[in-house]
């Protein structure tokens, strides 16, 4: 059989990266040669995202670009955009296969079928309620840390979100299977795992198991030295989980918690499941047990009905909480969500201004957080990135550190004395061991 080249183009979240990496391993085991996204290929696989209108547009542009690069190549599109709007994608010239999220794990077989039977366009999709399959996935090889998918889907119905419709209801693999996945990652030599999902803390819906028990089981896996929880809803971040992370040498003092807005009126309209008081209580509990913890917070600005006063309330709430980082998103109206029909839309120019104000706040908060690391000694896991003779890595509490490049130090955890911070808010590191 002629050797075929395949490349993977992943848009969106850590979950998509873990799934693309898993699909790529399947193709490689089948004798395909994986090539870089920038290279020409015989098969282009796109794992799409649909969290915003912009994400959909990015996918359409990518399809057209790849089709121009090689009009003979097979183009297969999967992911959330393919789940939500399969025909819209199928109508773009050059697309051969469209697979909704329930069929993502089938992609390799569908491509082989197409090669054997000839190029007839195929669209495999189903409605949200029928998305029941769990495509087990973890990322390997291409990064120092591995993304391990532990949960998929979501039963929450936040007013602005399409993810529930794209990924179906909350489901997961049993803890025993996930421990085996983590052992495979350890056997491949990766030292750090990022536990990921759509609503990660909602783990256990389909197996009756508890998220805390998953963390305890993973904590025992030999060879994995660090864990990070990719994101967890504030109402699911229990005292038990916080105490466990504080006591565990492996679970890093790093939390990513979606707030979305620091104003209770807007939180209620977003149909979020907590108040600002409850959110603040979670942050204070983390900081009390892990004073050095890196806390990253998601915020949406410009939700319908958000007045200047509401935004200022949100801004002040965030400034008082003093997290280490803000992930700021302008509200993006998604068809089919309740918020798409809400009145009092906020103008784009106002959204842009509010994003800029929060990004400026984020810059100040992150600088002050990183400065607290200056002069301390910390464990740093160095990554393979090499830039201007330097290598980069992260402390447990997610401070980025740079040091002169040493090949043998890549993917190793070193004891490092943290020096001064540069304009990119990286700290200079002096390796001690
Ligand atoms: S928790 Fe809300 S925002 Fe997050 S995936 Fe579920 S519905 Fe979407």
């Amino acid at each position: 059989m002629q050797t075929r080249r395949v490349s993977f183009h992943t848009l969106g979240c850590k979950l998509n990266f873990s799934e693309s990496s898993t699909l790529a391993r399947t193709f490689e085991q089948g004798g395909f040669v994986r090539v870089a996204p920038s290279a020409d290929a015989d098969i282009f696989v796109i794992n799409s995202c649909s969290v915003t209108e912009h994400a959909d547009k990015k996918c359409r542009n990518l399809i057209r670009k790849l089709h121009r690069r090689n009009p003979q190549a097979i183009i297969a599109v999967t992911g959330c955009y393919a789940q939500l709007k399969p025909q819209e994608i199928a109508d773009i010239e050059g697309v051969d296969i469209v697979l909704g999220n329930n069929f993502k794990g089938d992609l390799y077989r569908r491509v082989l079928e197409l090669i054997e039977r000839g190029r007839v366009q195929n669209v495999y999709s189903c409605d949200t309620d029928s998305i029941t399959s769990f495509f087990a996935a973890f990322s390997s090889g291409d990064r120092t840390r591995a993304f391990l998918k532990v949960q998929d889907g979501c039963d929450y119905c936040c007013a602005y979100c399409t993810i529930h419709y794209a990924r179906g209801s909350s489901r997961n693999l049993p803890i025993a299977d996930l421990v085996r996945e983590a052992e495979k990652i350890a056997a491949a030599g990766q030292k750090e795992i990022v536990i990921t999902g759509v609503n990660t803390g909602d783990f256990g819906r389909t197996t009756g198991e508890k998220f805390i028990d998953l963390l305890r089981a993973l904590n025992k896996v030999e060879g994995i030295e660090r864990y990070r929880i990719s994101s967890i809803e504030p109402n699911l971040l229990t005292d038990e989980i916080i105490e466990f992370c504080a006591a565990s040498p492996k679970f890093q003092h790093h939390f990513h918690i979606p707030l979305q807005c620091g104003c209770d009126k807007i939180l209620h309209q977003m149909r979020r499941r907590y108040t600002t008081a409850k959110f603040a209580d979670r942050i204070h509990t983390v900081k009390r047990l892990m004073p050095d913890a890196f806390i990253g917070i998601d915020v949406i600005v410009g939700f319908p009905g958000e007045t200047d006063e509401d935004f200022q309330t949100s801004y002040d709430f965030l400034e008082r909480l003093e997290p280490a980082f803000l992930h700021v998103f302008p509200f993006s109206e998604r068809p089919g969500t309740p918020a798409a029909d809400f009145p009092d839309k906020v103008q784009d120019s106002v959204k842009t201004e509010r994003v800029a104000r929060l990004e400026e706040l984020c810059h100040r908060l992150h600088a002050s957080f990183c400065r607290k690391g200056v002069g301390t000694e910390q464990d740093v896991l160095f990554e393979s990135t090499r830039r201007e003779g330097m290598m980069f890595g992260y402390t447990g509490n997610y401070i980025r550190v740079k040091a002169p490049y040493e090949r043998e130090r890549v993917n190793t955890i070193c004891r490092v004395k943290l020096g001064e911070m540069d304009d990119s808010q990286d700290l200079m590191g002096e390796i001690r061991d």
Side-chain angles (χ1 to χ4, degrees), residues 32-311:
F32 286 71
V33 175
R34 184 176 182 187
V35 294
S38 55
D40 189 10
D42 306 297
I43 297 131
F44 294 122
V45 174
I46 300 173
N47 195 354
S48 67
C49 167
S50 193
V51 76
T52 62
E53 182 50 37
H54 179 66
D56 291 0
K57 189 167 172 220
K58 238 172 134 180
C59 180
R60 294 192 294 272
N61 293 343
L62 180 58
I63 293 169
R64 296 190 184 102
K65 188 174 99 182
L66 295 175
H67 186 51
R68 279 195 303 277
R69 186 185 300 172
N70 182 352
Q72 305 318 312
I74 289 171
I75 295 183
V77 185
T78 188
C80 295
Y81 184 26
Q83 172 62 41
L84 293 172
K85 300 181 188 147
Q87 200 49 49
E88 191 169 291
I89 294 173
D91 292 342
I92 303 172
E93 191 190 345
V95 172
D96 296 283
I97 303 179
V98 181
L99 290 112
N101 277 329
N102 208 40
F103 304 95
K104 188 181 278 189
D106 253 3
L107 191 135
Y108 175 66
R109 190 165 63 80
R110 304 287 179 181
V111 168
L112 283 188
E113 268 173 17
L114 191 109
I115 292 170
E116 278 147 26
R117 292 199 203 138
R119 307 244 331 238
V120 181
Q121 188 183 65
N122 289 302
V123 177
Y124 303 92
S125 190
C126 65
D127 58 37
T128 299
D129 297 344
S130 316
I131 304 177
T132 53
S133 69
F134 188 95
F135 173 36
F138 63 85
S139 66
S140 61
D142 33 11
R143 288 168 184 246
T144 305
R145 64 178 69 87
F147 300 142
L148 173 60
K149 173 182 173 179
V150 301
Q151 183 271 351
D152 201 345
C154 185
D155 299 338
Y156 290 17
C157 293
C158 302
Y160 51 83
C161 184
T162 52
I163 299 172
H164 164 72
Y165 306 109
R167 288 214 169 238
S169 50
S170 183
R171 55 202 188 281
N172 59 278
L173 274 186
I175 292 177
D177 293 13
L178 291 166
V179 165
R180 279 191 287 277
E181 298 272 279
E183 286 164 351
K184 287 182 204 159
I185 294 170
Q190 286 168 295
K191 301 223 173 12
E192 183 169 308
I193 285 181
V194 180
I195 296 167
T196 190
V198 170
N199 191 344
T200 314
D202 197 40
F203 174 89
R205 285 264 159 226
T206 44
T207 56
E209 297 165 308
K210 290 171 67 185
F211 188 54
I212 185 68
D213 296 328
L214 170 67
L215 304 186
R216 289 195 178 109
L218 291 175
N219 200 45
K220 297 191 191 109
V221 173
E222 296 284 322
I224 300 298
E225 297 178 35
R226 291 179 156 192
Y227 288 96
R228 297 180 194 275
I229 301 171
S230 68
S231 167
I232 185 165
E233 291 293 313
N235 51 303
L236 298 172
L237 183 56
T238 62
D239 286 353
E240 205 181 7
I241 292 169
I242 297 172
E243 283 151 15
F244 171 82
C245 292
S248 157
K250 292 190 176 184
F251 277 75
Q252 305 302 303
H253 296 182
H254 178 188
F255 294 87
H256 183 168
I257 313 169
L259 167 69
Q260 307 308 14
C261 189
C263 165
D264 284 324
K265 180 191 105 185
I266 299 295
L267 275 182
H268 179 70
Q269 287 170 8
M270 286 176 163
R271 302 183 186 170
R272 298 290 285 163
R273 298 179 175 213
Y274 49 85
T275 60
T276 54
K278 168 80 183 179
F279 190 90
D281 166 73
R282 297 296 77 200
I283 302 299
H284 295 148
T285 306
V286 169
K287 285 189 173 189
R288 181 166 49 78
L289 294 174
M290 294 167 271
D292 67 336
F294 181 107
I295 299 172
I297 292 178
D298 290 346
V299 193
I300 293 174
V301 300
F303 189 78
E306 186 186 71
T307 62
D308 288 346
E309 293 70 37
D310 298 334
F311 174 72

